[in-house]
Amino acid sequence: MTDVRIGRRAFLRGIGTVAAGAAAASVTACGDDDAQPRGNASRSSKTLVVRDIGGAYGEANRKAVYEPFSKETGIRVDVVNIPRYAQMLAQIKEGRPQFDLIDIDMSALARFARADATLELDYDRLANARNAGIAESLLTSYGIGKNYWASVMAYRTDQPGGRAPRSWADFWDTRAFPGGRAMQSPDAGPPELEFALLADGVPLDRLYPLDVDRAFRVLDAVKDDVREFWVDGATPGDLLERGQVLLSSVWHGRPNALIKRGAPLAYQWNGARRQSSGFGIPKGARNVDAAYRLIDFALRPEVQSDFAQAYPMGPVVPAAYRYLPREAADLASSPEHLYTGFDLDVDWWVKNMEAVTKRWQEWARS
């Protein structure tokens, strides 16, 4: 089994032992092919093209990472928002990727590596990764983690009697918590087999390799109460706000705007499934040096803190928590959540995703 848990003691030590330590360039978000940089003529050594997902996440990158990096280095950062893995892989295989650096989840970076589409990272060029307390599972040959997020349970707080669910076992307890449920579809990420196993009593540190047969038997017990298998991050909050479901898995942070507006919603963190976005450098990248410089810049504790304040994803560098105000630190890698959740095993899912997804689709149709 691959140990993909955060090194909790090292992370907590890192939080407590920190040594404090050209004009701003434009950042262009490109959503269509015609607007994206093409060919050597449109790319200079002073321009770095980064692929990210855009939206609020891209805006947080612009504010916390790209613009400060450009101001310090004089390197302009352009952005392309290519949504599909297959499209990115095709560009790399053709030897003409439109991006020098990929910002994407670590599972996708593992898939790129299996397709021989990314460069092996030279950690001698990443000074801020050394002795920084970053989890070993995020220091891979094909990519390095940059921010944590988590899938957690969200629920309505206006339940009769004021009871609140405390675990995934409560999600499966339809007598104590009667009402509709919602869960993630494989179109949005790995099926939530881990939550079923936790509900059935499997300890956090014994989840992997997943007992797929057992997980589907547990899923059978709640299937009739699942009103929707959601495919995007906004849907769970909408379903909860409208009262169409009582409980739902959700990407932490996505319903925050609804909560701030007064919607009767809350999270519980027990059994949170942590994942990480990360950086990888595609083969054929035209500005590899600038890519390394941006990765190293983004791993500075203060930059990690700035990003976490702009977007609700947890730092991978524990020292960043020294810069975060307390009210902004309810994140996937927060010290209080390290012992209540687990890290998704990227290697297991990359190897088993196709088979599990096929079985899940057959289960959902049955």
Side-chain angles (χ1 to χ4, degrees):
M1 166 182 151
T2 302
D3 184 1
V4 295
R5 291 172 292 166
I6 294 177
R8 293 172 177 84
R9 292 178 183 174
F11 200 93
L12 292 169
R13 283 199 303 270
I15 292 171
T17 57
V18 180
S26 64
V27 180
T28 306
C30 306
D32 59 275
D33 286 347
D34 291 339
Q36 294 168 358
R38 297 180 183 275
N40 289 315
S42 60
R43 191 94 55 91
S44 75
S45 62
K46 288 294 185 179
T47 300
L48 175 70
V49 181
V50 182
R51 178 273 174 196
D52 72 25
I53 60 173
Y57 178 84
E59 176 61 18
N61 268 327
R62 181 192 65 79
K63 178 180 178 181
V65 183
Y66 303 152
E67 287 188 347
F69 172 78
S70 295
K71 186 174 183 178
E72 178 175 299
T73 65
I75 298 171
R76 167 185 169 131
V77 178
D78 287 344
V79 180
V80 293
N81 307 137
I82 303 173
R84 291 182 295 278
Y85 167 86
Q87 184 181 357
M88 288 184 278
L89 181 60
Q91 288 188 14
I92 297 169
K93 290 297 188 181
E94 290 169 1
R96 47 190 296 273
Q98 296 175 335
F99 41 88
D100 304 300
L101 184 62
I102 306 169
D103 178 337
I104 201 168
D105 68 90
M106 291 295 288
S107 296
L109 289 174
R111 292 172 66 197
F112 279 124
R114 286 167 67 94
D116 194 29
T118 47
L119 298 178
E120 183 173 351
L121 290 182
D122 179 357
Y123 279 89
D124 287 340
R125 302 177 72 173
L126 298 173
N128 290 317
R130 289 196 290 272
N131 303 314
I134 301 172
E136 288 295 323
S137 60
L138 302 183
L139 300 171
T140 73
S141 61
Y142 54 79
I144 184 168
K146 65 183 291 281
N147 310 101
Y148 280 108
W149 82 93
S151 294
V152 299
M153 186 197 306
Y155 60 93
R156 289 189 64 92
T157 58
D158 55 355
Q159 301 179 52
R163 293 190 62 189
R166 298 300 180 193
S167 69
W168 288 106
D170 289 338
F171 187 95
W172 260 259
D173 190 344
T174 56
R175 291 186 178 180
F177 297 94
R181 272 80 167 140
M183 298 184 73
Q184 179 176 287
S185 162
D187 292 333
E192 295 167 335
L193 303 191
E194 294 95 338
F195 299 154
L197 293 172
L198 290 173
D200 203 40
V202 176
L204 288 171
D205 61 353
R206 301 283 183 86
L207 281 170
Y208 298 101
L210 299 182
D211 185 335
V212 175
D213 291 338
R214 180 177 178 179
F216 276 99
R217 287 197 297 270
V218 180
L219 284 167
D220 283 339
V222 79
K223 181 179 179 182
D224 290 343
D225 295 281
V226 177
R227 301 288 183 264
E228 185 167 340
F229 293 106
W230 49 270
V231 298
D232 64 77
T235 297
D238 293 341
L239 293 171
L240 287 160
E241 183 184 35
R242 295 196 298 264
Q244 293 178 255
V245 300
L246 177 72
L247 305 163
S248 180
S249 60
V250 65
W251 297 333
H252 169 253
R254 291 305 298 264
N256 282 4
L258 300 177
I259 294 171
K260 288 178 181 178
R261 293 206 306 261
L265 310 180
Y267 303 110
Q268 76 84 29
W269 281 91
N270 285 330
R273 184 171 75 174
R274 284 185 294 263
Q275 298 183 66
S276 177
S277 59
F279 287 123
I281 302 175
K283 289 190 172 181
R286 297 187 179 93
N287 203 343
V288 172
D289 181 67
Y292 273 108
R293 293 180 69 181
L294 180 64
I295 294 171
D296 206 43
F297 181 88
L299 294 177
R300 292 180 185 175
E302 60 272 29
V303 176
Q304 289 259 299
S305 171
D306 289 344
F307 182 88
Q309 292 179 69
Y311 195 82
M313 293 180 72
V316 299
V317 176
Y321 279 96
R322 287 290 297 272
Y323 297 89
L324 271 171
R326 187 172 183 82
E327 63 273 12
D330 186 32
L331 300 166
S333 58
S334 299
E336 61 267 33
H337 300 319
L338 294 182
Y339 292 93
T340 62
F342 64 95
D343 287 11
L344 178 139
D345 188 325
V346 169
D347 290 338
W348 190 92
W349 273 109
V350 169
K351 293 173 184 175
N352 293 280
M353 185 68 174
E354 184 176 353
V356 172
T357 298
K358 181 180 179 181
R359 180 166 177 178
W360 189 95
Q361 290 167 341
E362 293 170 351
W363 170 83
R365 289 195 298 265
S366 64

